[in-house]
Amino acid sequence: MDYFLTEEQTALRDLVRKIADEKVRPLAAKLDREGIFSWDLVKIFAESGLYGVVVPEAYGGTGQGVLELAIVSEELAKACAGVTLAVAASALGMFPIIISGNEEQKNRYLPELAEGKHLAAFCLTEPEAGSDAGSLRTRAKRDGDHYILNGTKVFITNGGVAHIYTVIALTDPEKGTRGASAFIVQDDYPGFKLGKEEDKMGIRASATREIIFDDCRVPVENRIGREGEGFKVAMKTLDKSRPGVASQALGIAQGALDLAVDYARTRVQFGQPIASLQGIQFMLADMATQIEAARALVYAAARMIDSDARNIGQVSAMCKLMASDVAMKVTTDAVQIFGGYGYMRDYPIEKFMRDAKITQIYEGTNQIQRMVIARSLIRDAASKK
Ligand code: COS
């Protein structure tokens, strides 16, 4: 389908597709098997300008937006969903600064992040605060011109490889979500510690780690927005970043479909390629149709977000929900088309199914996305009365 991309967007897509084909795909199986985060690929992504896509030109980026980030994520994820996160999770970590940072913070942090000189990460989730993000316990106590942070964040993508962490912590625990604040924390601040490294089912080429704040001293000027605004900063961040997960899911689904079509054309059973069997054809047709429907929703949502439309939370949640469910379904069917070979690690397809699963879970489970969508519908209906 034609999504009427501009010349600039088409050029970006072609560039990332080339990088994915030539540099990422040949490494994907090894990075997955050994759970390696590739700094060599980060260097290539940085040289190609991929880290600057969501950063305004005034701060060293290319001033593009969520649609361009979606294009990058989709193309990289066709080759390896884990590697995609070296770019997408850095964008997630940058969003709180881009959305709510002051001039000084933007000038100080964004140019080097846009250049890919450093990576960023976003720290919201805690052992007791997953779907219920508002029940966080990490504390930020004011001490003169610093805050002292104490607490543990878990499942942090880019944890341990990022230099800049945007962190949500409680400045006023009595006030719940209204008592949370957002901070920019550097990994060289005293009291910043790395915890457990996770051994994951999929996206194994990404770095996922616990981050521990042990009397971590953060300068007051690193607070993003006012005290008490942190939860809203986090929610606005997720509204912008969820299409990135959706497009990662799209890339996973498209990558799996491409492999399944190739396999079906060459695998001979009953004296003919299985692609000539109607049972297989119907599966391929459904897979392709679901992907195209999800892509249309992702691109529409991304365009809406880039135009500063109202109520982007709803469309952002919708595209993440739909694309990730499609990725799970399509990759499961792709493994089915490969049959017994699909279940074996010698073939590339099972990785797509393992990688797809996380897209239904992170940046808000799909149950949370449904909650966000339903609440928004109900709120809109109430406001019309
Ligand atoms: N933009 C701006 N503000 C928002 C917002 C949004 N998208 N969503 C909520 N808020 C505000 C609300 O308006 C409310 O503000 P007031 O206190 O001024 O009324 C405040 O934030 C609290 O919102 P709410 O009452 O809806 O919070 P809940 O505790 O019910 O939780 C959900 C909301 C479930 C949506 C939130 O906890 C969530 O997104 N959970 C999933 C977290 C997640 O995605 N984690 C993944 C890890 S991060 S990679």
Side-chain angles (χ1 to χ4, degrees):
M1 266 171 80
D2 189 345
Y3 290 97
F4 305 104
L5 299 181
T6 61
E7 244 175 66
E8 204 184 40
Q9 289 161 346
T10 307
L12 178 69
R13 185 197 62 195
D14 294 346
L15 168 73
V16 184
R17 191 171 285 176
K18 190 164 184 295
I19 295 171
D21 288 343
E22 291 176 7
K23 308 290 181 189
V24 179
R25 191 166 290 108
L27 290 177
K30 181 180 163 65
L31 299 180
D32 172 63
R33 199 167 47 246
E34 297 174 16
I36 296 170
F37 179 88
S38 171
W39 283 105
D40 291 344
L41 289 177
V42 168
K43 197 162 166 262
I44 293 168
F45 301 156
E47 283 164 1
S48 311
L50 304 191
Y51 287 99
V53 160
V54 293
V55 178
E57 280 174 296
Y59 310 107
T62 47
Q64 294 161 298
V66 171
L67 179 57
E68 285 80 2
L69 180 64
I71 290 169
V72 171
S73 296
E74 183 181 343
E75 291 305 325
L76 290 179
K78 282 184 198 167
C80 178
V83 160
T84 309
L85 291 163
V87 178
S90 200
L92 170 66
M94 282 188 246
F95 275 137
I97 307 175
I98 296 170
I99 296 168
S100 305
N102 59 31
E103 272 307 296
E104 200 265 322
Q105 291 164 344
K106 288 179 181 174
N107 280 314
R108 181 153 176 225
Y109 288 107
L110 292 179
E112 290 191 345
L113 289 168
E115 231 183 276
K117 191 169 170 206
H118 302 304
L119 303 187
F122 180 58
C123 296
L124 173 65
T125 305
E126 299 183 7
E128 309 297 332
S131 290
D132 183 7
S135 68
L136 75 169
R137 293 185 186 165
T138 296
R139 185 85 169 85
K141 220 171 164 179
R142 182 85 184 246
D143 178 27
D145 54 5
H146 281 78
Y147 284 91
I148 311 296
L149 266 62
N150 277 292
T152 299
K153 298 288 181 181
V154 293
F155 308 148
I156 303 306
T157 307
N158 278 354
V161 295
H163 173 50
I164 306 300
Y165 294 77
T166 42
V167 180
I168 312 298
L170 292 173
T171 38
D172 190 346
E174 306 296 309
K175 290 192 181 159
T177 53
R178 290 184 177 183
S181 304
F183 299 91
I184 304 168
V185 181
Q186 296 182 195
D187 69 343
D188 52 2
Y189 286 172
F192 178 99
K193 294 182 178 166
L194 297 178
K196 181 174 168 247
E197 220 173 323
E198 301 296 345
D199 183 11
K200 306 184 292 291
M201 172 200 268
I203 53 163
R204 291 173 52 79
S206 67
T208 312
R209 202 151 180 172
E210 249 177 26
I211 301 295
I212 300 163
F213 304 103
D214 180 10
D215 282 337
C216 180
R217 290 181 72 77
V218 178
V220 168
E221 63 263 25
N222 278 28
R223 191 189 65 229
I224 302 173
R226 286 196 297 269
E227 273 199 12
E229 286 181 351
F231 193 75
K232 285 183 185 159
V233 170
M235 292 299 110
K236 286 186 198 162
T237 293
L238 292 171
D239 287 348
K240 276 220 170 196
S241 66
R242 282 175 179 150
V245 176
S247 50
Q248 180 193 30
L250 268 183
I252 295 170
Q254 185 67 59
L257 174 62
D258 293 347
L259 287 173
V261 172
D262 277 352
Y263 185 79
R265 287 175 56 245
T266 52
R267 170 71 172 163
V268 173
Q269 290 288 278
F270 305 106
Q272 57 191 327
I274 61 171
S276 58
L277 302 171
Q278 204 177 49
I280 299 291
Q281 289 178 351
F282 282 8
M283 286 175 81
L284 294 173
D286 285 347
M287 290 155 79
T289 306
Q290 287 158 8
I291 291 171
E292 217 53 72
R295 186 176 288 118
L297 184 57
V298 174
Y299 281 29
R303 285 189 162 118
M304 210 174 136
I305 294 169
D306 287 334
S307 69
D308 288 330
R310 267 189 68 249
N311 207 1
I312 58 169
Q314 187 187 116
V315 290
S316 170
M318 281 177 171
C319 75
K320 191 278 195 189
L321 166 66
M322 186 179 177
S324 60
D325 281 353
V326 163
M328 200 63 243
K329 172 88 172 61
V330 165
T331 56
T332 306
D333 285 350
V335 169
Q336 189 70 20
I337 289 171
F338 273 71
Y341 290 112
Y343 201 70
M344 303 304 153
R345 296 236 157 150
D346 299 340
Y347 281 75
I349 198 68
E350 56 84 34
K351 173 182 182 297
F352 284 82
M353 187 173 154
R354 285 186 286 109
D355 288 347
K357 186 64 205 168
I358 192 62
T359 64
Q360 294 180 306
I361 298 173
Y362 66 7
E363 291 198 29
T365 63
N366 282 2
Q367 287 69 28
I368 290 293
Q369 308 308 321
R370 289 180 170 94
M371 210 168 113
V372 169
I373 297 161
R375 281 183 181 187
S376 161
L377 285 176
I378 295 162
R379 210 173 37 237
D380 276 0
S383 73
K384 283 180 195 141
K385 293 271 173 231

